[in-house]
Each structure stands twice: as structure tokens, then as C-alpha cells.
Amino acid sequence: MQGRFKRDGSASAEPEPHGGADRGSTPQHAQSPGPAPAKDGGGRPGSPAPSAPAKTAPSGAPTPTVKPAPGGSVSSGSRLHLRNWRISTRLVSLLALPVVAATSLGALRINENLNDIQQLDNMKLLTEMTKQATELAAALQEERDQSAGPLAHGGLNANDYQIKAYQQKTDRARDDFLDDSEKIDAASKDGKLQGVRDALVGLANQLDDLAKIRQKAYDSERNATQTVESYHRLITQLIGLSQDMAEASSNPEMISRTRALAAFSTAKEYASVQRAMIAAALPATPATKGDLSENDRLYGQSAYESENSELAIFRKIYADQNAEELLKPIDEGNPTIEAADTYAKRSFESPDGLQQLPARSYKDWVDDSSTKIEQMKKIEHTLLEEMEQKARELKSATQRDAIISGALILLVLGVSLVGAFVVARSMIRSLRRLQETATKVAQDRLPELVKQLSESDPQDVDTSVESVGVHSRDEIGQVAAAFDDVHREAVRLAAEQALLRGNVNAMFTNLSRRSQGLIQRQLSLISELESREADPDQLSSLFKLDHLATRMRRNGENLLVLAGEEPGRRWTRPVPLVDVLRAAASEVEQYERIELAAVPTTQVAGRVVNDLVHLLAELLENATSFSSPQTKVKVTGHALPDGRVLIEIHDTGIGLSPEDLAAINERLASPPTVDVSVSRRMGLFVVGRLSQRHGIRIQLRPSDSGGTTALVMLPVDVAQGDKKPVPGKPGGPMSTGGPAAAQAAAGAAAARRQTGNGGGGPAAGGLLG
């Protein structure tokens, strides 16, 4: 049972070279490595069609299946899919889409405003922290610069009350800074200020090193850079904290102001570094000149250049906010600041810069240079105040925008919803009527009309079409008119199809009856010749001719099945299953290869006998046609405890692919509608129709020993001769005994002589007469 179909599922239309049910190739073809070309798709019958079978209308007419669009699927999908929404829902959704979009955008705008308000609240808190960081940085600068001269020249020690005063001021600023940082820790619970909190934690750890810095402050002779740099790192971290705080705000102007403040504070720090470096190099009295080591000079020169660079950055960032006006106190008009800048520049620009300058004490230098730093503190304080004022203004503007946006959204939403409701209501009425009428036509009117056309003369059926009743001039009215046209055309085509189908069925029936009459006369004549013939060779030829005529009669019966007619021959009493199997084997050309291994002693209902013989003959024909001539086709039967009987037909061919088996089993379970392709797959169609008529289940499976196994499950009412089975007594197996070839040959000859119908077989008697 293999090699019946081409890989693409199409069937060859070539005439078969030997007796068969138009389904197979020669046994020699079965020996080839590849699948043999099928002569028609019928038979194990037949090949699967390339496309899915069409559904059948109540009249039996084929209903065309929906062809999927490229890349699409005929499945309707989930009810939540857009294409499955009700028309009213789509219209409301379409009209509501702009409203939802506007509302969403407005909500996003309000949400942004609320986020901005929250950020500005955080910015206020961050501004306060920036103030504390600036004050702590200024205290560290004062401590470092004021202690540079005394500690560098041994005039005072770290425990002197003057040094202690600056240190205590720094400690108070540090404590205030750490206390305010607790507010940041509480505000960071929502995750928005987490980065600032982490920076504060790191800075607090670094402030713990301040005691170590004080212990070693300026204790390295001619190496003030070490101490100044230690303080500088802490101060730079405090200044950089404002940059981290700026990242918590998304307002560009606040970020710009924060960057400007950081640049100016950095410039102030570099000015303070210069003050400390020169103070550490100058003596306590102007009696001698200062001594600046090369390393300290280069460090101070770098601070001088960095100060000018940071001031340039500040001017660039704050250009739109009148930066030059803010910098006037330190750029012009103050001779003390100008003299201090000149003194610092000349001190750092050459290795002996201090030696070329007039002698002065570190106290004198600190007093002069502090003038500039004090002015820079005032500018720094101004920048902080402007940041606070701008944050308040931004918060007020954001709150006002949020209120206006909310009011506009509510107004637009209300107007849009009212308009959408009015427009949708005017459209939904017509659409709902169209939908209800179309559903009623599709589910009730048209199927009922088609059923009437299939059961009676089309001329006796009222084929008038009732209009949908929507007569508007818009697209909905046009769709309704088009649906009326489609409805009328469908009714007309159904009437024509019913008439054509009736004519075709009548033609099939007429041809089959005529052919059966002629074939029956031919079989009677052949049987008469067989009874008078003594020559074995001539008798063998007559047997072959008898068999061909029997197959022709079966093909005629196939036409009756196509037309939906019941067979003319019918048994009124149960027949043993073994006789049914023998009768089916006798209709197969290579009947001598069929071996009945074990058959239960069960009776087949008489109304099913002829159809079951026909069905089994088609399966046996395929089993012998598509397996090697040297092999046997084994037939076994099993009586099941529930009264059913399972018949197995095994061949040892090359087998079928899983895809072909699945396709064939599908067609056996659901026979297709009669069309042109049925003529090439008649065996498959006939087997499916006959099994469906009597509730017989058929399935093909791969055989464990190679080849294919056909399983035929007879229901209880068929296998038990319309009698209920006796529990626990399903019927025992019965061995046919002896070589099957000898039994079949002898039985076939006896049956032909007894019945004269060419359809006999081993122990068939008048089974098919």
C-alpha cells in the first residue's frame, strides 16, 4: 500500500496496464526506489488533493472555500482581533481615536508638568544642599589658606587657637552639610535622587579623612602642594556635587545655571589655591624674600591658568544672563585685586619669580588676595539666589500649565464624546439592520432555500429575494444594494446548480445501470463458456476475462456511489465475515496472493454485505498492486470485547510518507464533494463514501515489518448482524487453513460456475449474485 501518490499529491492520468481500480502502478513499479506514480488518486485509495476539500452545502453542492490572502490565513482568529470587532465598536473606536490621542497627549503633558513640579521641588532641596556645599567649600578654603603661612614656617602649630578657630568653623559647616544631606536621603526613597544620595555618601566618607589631612598639613618643607592638593580634592568634590544635583532636573535653564555656578566656584577655588601656595612660600616678616619650590611654582601656575579657563567657561555659559556685569567687581575698578593678580602671575611665571618681586609677609599677601576671593564669594552667593528665584518661577509656571492643560483636556474630551456619540448613532442603526439581515440570510434563508432546491424541482421553489431594507445614498446603502444583488445571484446559481447536479446524478445512474446490465450478460456468457471448456489454458484465459468483467462491474458500481445511489443488490440475512472477505478477495486480480490468516466467526449485517465487499476489494486491490508480486497480502480479523471487529490488511511494499498517510486518512474520514478530480481518485472517494454510509472507520498506518497496514473497524451493528453482542463472547478466530492461493483458485472457479456472475470467490456461494 505505497507508491500510490506523487510527492505533490497530483495523480497521473495514464491508463493502467493491468486490472485494478484505476489506482495503482504495476508490481514492477512497486520495486523501484521511489514512489510509483499513481494512476489516479483513488484507492488506498488515491492521492490526496493539493487543496483542502470543499465543504458541502445542504443540497450537496460544493461550497467554495475561502482563499486566504497572500501571507494571510482563513482563520478568523481571536475575538479580540481588530477584524473581529463589531461594526459599532469599530465606529466608536474610530471616532474616539482622536479623542483618546488628544487626551493621552494632554495627560502626558500634565504628567510632565507634575514631574517637573516634583523635580523643581527636588531642585529647591538640591539648591539648599548646594548652598551648604558652597559654605563648606569656603570654610575649607579659609582653613587651608589661613594656616598655610603659619604652619609652613613653624610660626604656629596645628593646635594653636588661631588655626583651631578656622578648623572649628569648618567642622560646623561640615556638620550642617551632613545634617541637610539627611533630607536628600529621605527624598531619594522614590529613586529619583538616588544618584545624588550616592554622591553624598561618597563625599561623607571622604570628609572623614579631614583629620588626617590636618595632622600632616604643611609639614613637608618646600612642598605645600601636598597639603593644598589634599584640600583641593575635597573642595572639588563639593563643587562637583552641584553637577550631580543638576542631573536630577530635566529643566535646561536650571542645568545651565548649575553648570555656570560650578564653573565659577571652580575658578574661585583655583584663586584660593594660588593664595595658599604663595602664603606657604612667603616668610612671616618682609625682612627676607619668599622661596617657592619648582614643584609648588608649577602647581600654582596651573591653578592660575585654570582660574582664567574656568572664568571663560562661566562667561560662555552665562552669556545670556549678563555674565560680564556680574564679573565687574573682580575684573576692573579695584587696584588691590589687580595688584594681587599681577603679583600671583609674576610669582608663578618664572622659577625665581618671588626673588624678583619686593619682599612681603604672608599676612600681607593673604589680606590682599582675600579681597578678590571675598568678591567672588558675593558673586557666588548671587548665583545661588538667582537659581532659587528661577526654580520658584519655573514651579509656578509649571503649575499654571498643568491647570490649563487639564481644563482644555476635559473640554475637548466632552465635546468629542458628544459628537462621536451623535455621529456613531446615525451610522450604527443602518449597519445593525444590514448586519442582522445579512446574518439571517446567510444562516436561515439561503441554506433553507438551497435545501429546498436540492430536495425538489427548482421550478416548484419560490426563488424571490427579500431586500435588506436600507436605501440610503451613502456607502452603507450601497453595500446593502450590493448584498441584495449577491443574494439574488446566489439563489440563481443555487437553482442552476441543483438542476445540473440532478442531471449529472441521473446520468451517472443511467450509465451505471446500462453498464451493469451489459456486464451481467457478459459474465453469464463467460460463465457458460467456462462450464463447457475443458482445455486448462483456455479456461485460464476465460477466468482472466471473467475477472476483468468483474472489475468493470465494480467500476460501474462506483458510478452509483458517485451519484449517491444505493446498490441494487442487497442481502436480507447476515453473512459470515469470512465469506465476505473471500468474496472481496475473489474480485482482486492477484487473488492468489491474498492470505486469510485468522477471521472471527462473526456475522455481517446483510444490508452492509455488498458495500463491505466492495470496500474491502478496493483496499485489497491496492495492497496487491503496490507491493512485490513475490509477497503475500495478509488479512486478519479481531473481535473486540465491545462487539466491534477490527480487520487488518498488511502488505510489504515500500510504504508511504507520514505526510501522504495523513492526507489519505483525512480524505477517508471526510470524502470530498464530487468533482472532476474524483474521476482520478475514485477508489479513495468510494471507500470513504461507503465507510461513511455505514459508520465504518478506516485508517492507514505504517506496518512494523515494512509497507502499510489498512485498519477497518466494523461497528457493532455491522459486525454482529444487527444483533447486540453477548458480553464475554465476541466470537473466536477461525483459521482458513491451507495455502491461500490454492483456496482462492479453487473457490473462484467454483463460484464462477455456481453463480455465473464473475464475482465469486472462495466459499462465496451466491454472495454477490
Side-chain angles (χ1 to χ4, degrees):
M1 297 182 185
Q2 61 289 325
R4 294 142 176 86
F5 314 103
K6 296 181 181 180
R7 180 61 61 183
D8 60 358
S10 62
S12 171
E14 298 177 1
E16 63 178 4
H18 66 86
D22 298 328
R23 302 181 303 279
S25 65
T26 62
Q28 288 77 12
H29 289 168
Q31 300 297 323
S32 62
K39 301 307 175 186
D40 85 17
R44 169 122 67 234
S47 66
S51 61
K55 296 181 179 178
T56 304
S59 63
T63 301
T65 57
V66 179
K67 183 179 181 180
S73 172
V74 297
S75 175
S76 61
S78 172
R79 292 184 62 184
L80 298 179
H81 197 282
L82 179 61
R83 65 184 180 186
N84 296 326
W85 290 9
R86 295 173 57 88
I87 294 296
S88 58
T89 305
R90 295 192 200 182
L91 286 174
V92 173
S93 301
L94 180 63
L95 295 173
L97 185 60
V99 178
V100 173
T103 304
S104 299
L105 292 176
L108 290 176
R109 176 61 180 169
I110 294 176
N111 186 58
E112 290 178 359
N113 291 336
L114 294 177
N115 289 336
D116 290 342
I117 292 174
Q118 181 62 40
Q119 289 181 353
L120 291 171
D121 287 338
N122 292 336
M123 197 64 196
K124 179 181 179 182
L125 180 60
L126 296 175
T127 303
E128 294 176 358
M129 285 301 304
T130 302
K131 275 187 173 182
Q132 295 294 337
T134 302
E135 292 178 3
L136 178 56
L140 288 170
Q141 290 168 353
E142 286 294 322
E143 177 184 332
R144 175 189 61 191
D145 299 350
Q146 295 293 341
S147 61
L151 293 179
H153 297 284
L156 298 173
N157 56 47
N159 294 321
D160 189 87
Y161 73 94
Q162 295 181 9
I163 304 300
K164 276 292 185 181
Y166 290 111
Q167 292 179 353
Q168 291 173 357
K169 182 179 179 181
T170 302
D171 291 340
R172 288 192 297 270
R174 180 184 62 182
D175 293 340
D176 293 340
F177 174 78
L178 294 177
D179 291 341
D180 286 349
S181 65
E182 296 295 331
K183 300 178 182 179
I184 298 294
D185 183 66
S188 65
K189 299 301 182 181
D190 57 358
K192 293 183 179 180
L193 299 179
Q194 188 64 36
V196 177
R197 178 186 177 278
D198 295 341
L200 287 173
V201 171
L203 184 57
N205 293 332
Q206 294 185 24
L207 289 174
D208 292 338
D209 297 333
L210 183 58
K212 297 180 180 179
I213 297 174
R214 290 171 175 172
Q215 292 177 359
K216 299 180 179 180
Y218 303 103
D219 59 355
S220 297
E221 186 178 355
R222 295 173 55 82
N223 188 11
T225 300
Q226 181 178 359
T227 300
V228 172
E229 177 62 22
S230 297
Y231 278 96
H232 177 69
R233 284 195 295 267
L234 289 177
I235 296 170
T236 302
Q237 289 294 325
L238 289 168
I239 295 173
L241 184 62
S242 62
Q243 295 283 44
D244 296 332
M245 294 178 180
E247 294 178 0
S249 173
S250 60
N251 186 276
E253 187 170 356
M254 292 300 297
I255 293 176
S256 176
R257 289 178 178 272
T258 305
R259 291 176 56 199
L261 175 63
F264 187 81
S265 296
T266 303
K268 173 172 161 287
E269 162 61 9
Y270 283 122
S272 177
V273 167
Q274 299 172 52
R275 181 175 65 173
M277 294 301 298
I278 295 178
L282 292 176
T285 62
T288 59
K289 293 185 177 183
D291 184 13
L292 190 65
S293 67
E294 182 63 16
N295 184 55
D296 291 348
R297 183 189 70 81
L298 293 175
Y299 188 81
Q301 185 180 19
S302 175
Y304 179 83
E305 295 171 354
S306 296
E307 177 192 357
N308 295 328
S309 176
E310 293 295 332
L311 287 175
I313 294 174
F314 170 76
R315 287 187 176 94
K316 183 177 180 180
I317 297 175
Y318 219 65
D320 297 337
Q321 305 296 331
N322 198 8
E324 295 299 332
E325 186 68 24
L326 280 174
L327 296 178
K328 277 184 178 181
I330 60 174
D331 283 345
E332 59 185 31
N334 194 321
T336 303
I337 295 176
E338 292 178 357
D341 286 343
T342 302
Y343 189 85
K345 180 180 179 181
R346 294 180 61 184
S347 299
F348 298 131
E349 65 183 1
S350 62
D352 55 350
L354 282 180
Q355 298 295 326
Q356 297 176 4
L357 293 172
R360 65 190 305 180
S361 66
Y362 64 79
K363 292 182 180 180
D364 180 53
W365 159 250
V366 169
D367 292 340
D368 291 346
S369 60
S370 295
T371 302
K372 178 181 180 180
I373 293 178
E374 289 298 325
Q375 291 295 334
M376 296 182 79
K377 284 183 180 180
K378 294 179 181 179
I379 296 173
E380 193 175 49
H381 184 70
T382 301
L383 292 174
L384 285 170
E385 288 182 345
E386 290 180 354
M387 283 181 59
E388 289 181 332
Q389 178 63 26
K390 188 61 181 178
R392 287 192 294 268
E393 293 176 359
L394 290 173
K395 182 177 179 180
S396 299
T398 303
Q399 289 175 337
R400 183 173 60 255
D401 291 344
I403 294 173
I404 294 174
S405 299
L408 289 176
I409 288 174
L410 291 177
L411 179 62
V412 171
L413 181 61
V415 173
S416 301
L417 288 178
V418 172
F421 176 77
V422 173
V423 175
R425 185 180 179 184
S426 65
M427 299 176 65
I428 288 173
R429 289 181 179 178
S430 298
L431 286 171
R432 185 168 296 167
R433 182 170 184 177
L434 176 59
Q435 182 264 336
E436 291 175 353
T437 304
T439 301
K440 188 174 182 180
V441 168
Q443 296 181 355
D444 299 328
R445 296 179 187 174
L446 189 57
E448 182 64 26
L449 181 61
V450 172
K451 182 179 179 181
Q452 294 178 9
L453 290 172
S454 64
E455 295 176 350
S456 58
D457 190 340
Q459 297 179 355
D460 299 334
V461 179
D462 182 13
T463 57
S464 61
V465 174
E466 182 181 351
S467 175
V468 172
V470 179
H471 305 291
S472 60
R473 297 183 179 181
D474 60 358
E475 288 80 357
I476 300 176
Q478 295 174 6
V479 171
F483 179 79
D484 290 340
D485 295 339
V486 172
H487 189 188
R488 283 189 290 269
E489 185 66 15
V491 172
R492 185 186 66 80
L493 292 176
E496 293 181 358
Q497 186 184 55
L499 181 61
L500 178 60
R501 184 169 53 253
N503 292 336
V504 171
N505 289 340
M507 179 179 63
F508 280 170
T509 303
N510 190 26
L511 290 176
S512 177
R513 298 301 185 192
R514 287 173 178 268
S515 298
Q516 282 188 317
L518 294 175
I519 293 172
Q520 187 62 36
R521 292 169 57 188
Q522 181 181 7
L523 287 172
S524 299
L525 179 59
I526 293 173
S527 296
E528 184 179 351
L529 292 175
E530 289 174 349
S531 63
R532 296 198 302 262
E533 183 61 53
D535 186 357
D537 294 335
Q538 293 296 331
L539 184 60
S540 176
S541 298
L542 288 174
F543 283 168
K544 292 181 179 179
L545 185 61
D546 189 338
H547 180 77
L548 290 176
T550 302
R551 291 191 60 214
M552 292 172 63
R553 182 180 64 184
R554 195 166 77 234
N555 284 338
E557 292 176 348
N558 287 346
L559 292 178
L560 289 178
V561 176
L562 293 180
E565 295 290 337
E566 295 288 340
R569 301 173 297 161
R570 183 183 297 273
W571 284 76
T572 59
R573 65 181 186 276
V575 176
L577 178 60
V578 65
D579 289 345
V580 174
L581 292 173
R582 287 172 177 170
S586 70
E587 293 199 3
V588 177
E589 180 180 6
Q590 304 179 52
Y591 61 86
E592 68 277 0
R593 292 176 51 205
I594 299 174
E595 180 179 306
L596 302 181
V599 180
T601 57
T602 185
Q603 300 285 326
V604 178
R607 60 182 174 79
V608 189
V609 168
N610 289 301
D611 286 346
L612 183 58
V613 170
H614 193 162
L615 183 152
L616 293 172
E618 293 287 351
L619 296 176
L620 292 171
E621 188 73 55
N622 276 276
T624 56
S625 299
F626 297 102
S627 60
S628 174
Q630 291 76 30
T631 61
K632 296 291 185 180
V633 175
K634 295 183 180 181
V635 181
T636 60
H638 307 280
L640 303 181
D642 58 1
R644 295 181 298 167
V645 173
L646 175 64
I647 300 173
E648 300 184 11
I649 301 174
H650 306 272
D651 66 35
T652 55
I654 60 176
L656 288 169
S657 66
E659 294 79 8
D660 291 340
L661 281 174
I664 294 173
N665 287 326
E666 174 65 24
R667 296 183 69 83
L668 287 173
S670 302
T673 304
V674 178
D675 56 15
V676 178
S677 64
V678 169
S679 62
R680 300 190 301 270
R681 298 185 293 271
M682 188 178 297
L684 174 64
F685 179 86
V686 169
V687 170
R689 274 288 181 89
L690 292 176
S691 63
Q692 197 174 54
R693 179 182 295 174
H694 301 292
I696 300 172
R697 294 177 55 190
I698 301 176
Q699 188 177 40
L700 302 187
R701 294 181 180 178
S703 179
D704 295 337
S705 59
T708 306
T709 297
L711 304 178
V712 181
M713 180 67 72
L714 304 182
V716 176
D717 60 338
V718 172
Q720 301 299 326
D722 292 327
K723 297 180 180 179
K724 294 184 178 180
V726 179
K729 295 182 180 181
M734 187 274 294
S735 175
T736 59
Q743 290 181 350
R752 290 187 183 95
R753 291 182 177 86
Q754 291 174 6
T755 63
N757 60 12
L767 187 62
L768 301 178

